[in-house]
Amino acid sequence: MRRKLVAANWKMNGSKAQTESLLNAFVAGIDAKAVDAVVFPPALYVAQVAQLLNGTGLEWGTQNVHAADNGAFTGELSLGMVKEFGCRYVLIGHSERRELFGETNADAATKVAAALNADVIPMLCVGETLQQREAGTTEAVVGEQLDAVLNEVGIEAFKRIVIAYEPVWAIGTGKTATPEQAQAVHAFIRARLAKADGDVAAQCRVLYGGSVKAANAQELFQQPDIDGGLVGGASLQADEFTAICQAAAEV
Ligand code: 13P
């Protein structure tokens, strides 16, 4: 039985005051015994988040990380640094990193390997653009994104990886994939892993991301291969995010 996981990706939003008010509401409104909840704030706020969430059962991480231990990489963060601030998870290969900052499948694979090596759980993001979906290449694109990581770290490592399927056309657009559309790709992802190892595939959590909100969370989370959500916009509204976590806990 895969435990549901709901993650908040705040992207480049927020402030110290907003961090405090959102987290106070999350701690009060999320049952950490019933659902795994993870917050990905902008890196500058991780120390504040660590302080506010320490001991609450809610977890946190960074939105990106560099694979190297240290060195001349201006603007980057190492896994040693994120671990020092209690991050249990890191987001890797988010579509905005891929599209806006040129990250490749090979970069994602290197970062996933480094995170595993540091004992931090990678949340690997995959997903197709609208153009790719319309061209009928969704499975080819997502398959390639997955294979790059599989080839680098091997199937066993997927026991310690969380996958987030985020169709790019559904991110920040208000246009959620239908539960059936999402389920189809989730099933494809699980089948791809199962080709390498059925037990690992059955254990690996695959989250859906892309305009998840309180109003659509339940029907998404009811799908057999959807194990939770990666939430952007709605994670900046306390009532929305806590309701999404509640929906995950109840499914
Ligand atoms: P939205 O929930 O705003 O569509 O963002 C999804 C996302 O990119 C989470 O990583």
Side-chain angles (χ1 to χ4, degrees), residues 9 11 91 94 96 166 170-173 209-212 230-234:
N9 176 10
K11 307 190 180 185
L91 273 185
H94 190 278
E96 286 148 21
E166 298 205 301
I171 294 179
T173 56
S211 300
V212 176
L230 177 54
V231 186

Side-chain angles (χ1 to χ4, degrees), residues 106-181:
D107 293 329
T110 307
K111 290 180 182 199
V112 167
L116 291 169
N117 215 20
D119 213 12
V120 174
I121 301 169
M123 194 176 282
L124 170 69
C125 304
V126 298
E128 81 288 0
T129 63
L130 183 59
Q131 207 184 11
Q132 289 164 335
R133 172 162 284 261
E134 285 174 347
T137 57
T138 298
E139 292 190 355
V141 169
V142 172
E144 220 175 287
Q145 290 169 335
L146 270 182
D147 285 353
V149 176
L150 255 174
N151 293 338
E152 177 80 23
V153 300
I155 185 67
E156 278 293 304
F158 277 77
K159 287 181 180 164
R160 297 190 292 138
I161 293 173
V162 176
I163 298 171
Y165 167 59
E166 298 205 301
V168 179
W169 49 272
I171 294 179
T173 56
K175 206 174 147 187
T176 320
T178 64
E180 295 73 27
Q181 280 175 321

